Amino acid sequence: MSGASGRPGGGRRVEVCGEAGEPARLTVAELAGGWPEQRAEVVFDCVTSGPRHHTFTGPLLRDVLLGTLPGAARATRKDRAGRLLVVAGADGHRAVPAWAEVDEEFRYAPVLLAVRLDGALLDAPHLVVPADRCGARLVRPGLPASAGEERLVSGAG
């Protein structure tokens, strides 16, 4: 798992984009200051090293999506039920949660875009699904650092 490195909260940006409209490009600092932070104590069962205990803090994925993608807030319940969120990691790893997982009218899981790991500000947000037993959906969204911009979520709005 990657921790804090480089310039925490620095100039690296993530991109939140939907099916229409301009993408929002946000820094870790903007994510940390733009939405209420939630805290999640997680224990991921790592196959190679056993249980891993961590505390993640950051805004809820749902709040960021609703705040940056106008279409997400206007979508009907039936439309939202069929939407998938694609989170692409710098290493090629992807997680594809359903919108219904993060929507309070459906299952609602407090999925975070964590900006802090064990109190340290991260250099890029991490998708954290606290209810998962393993950390397979723990994704550090983005492209390799040399590419500059990072793609966080698509297909959400």
Side-chain angles (χ1 to χ4, degrees):
M1 177 180 316
S2 60
S5 64
R7 294 180 330 193
R12 293 184 64 198
R13 295 182 180 274
V14 295
E15 182 178 86
V16 181
C17 58
E19 295 169 356
E22 289 295 313
R25 291 180 174 88
L26 305 164
T27 65
V28 168
E30 289 168 332
L31 283 169
W35 290 270
E37 284 195 8
Q38 305 294 317
R39 178 184 170 110
E41 303 276 337
V42 301
V43 179
F44 292 135
D45 288 325
C46 181
V47 174
T48 58
S49 60
R52 306 287 303 255
H53 298 261
H54 292 289
T55 302
F56 289 95
T57 56
L60 292 171
L61 174 61
R62 179 200 69 218
D63 291 348
V64 174
L65 294 174
L66 290 173
T68 57
L69 300 174
R74 291 190 306 263
T76 67
R77 183 181 302 161
K78 207 167 220 178
D79 287 338
R80 292 190 322 267
R83 300 234 170 140
L84 297 176
L85 308 172
V86 179
V87 182
D91 59 359
H93 181 69
R94 291 180 182 263
V96 186
W99 177 264
E101 274 189 271
V102 302
D103 192 315
E104 54 198 6
E105 290 192 73
F106 294 97
R107 179 178 180 266
Y108 180 66
V111 177
L112 299 182
L113 285 179
V115 296
R116 288 184 178 77
L117 168 61
D118 298 329
L121 194 63
L122 296 164
D123 63 340
H126 289 51
L127 178 78
V128 178
V129 184
D132 285 356
R133 275 188 9 166
C134 70
R137 290 196 293 177
L138 180 75
V139 176
R140 181 178 171 194
L143 302 169
S146 61
E149 294 294 315
E150 301 185 41
R151 184 170 206 98
L152 178 57
V153 176
S154 65

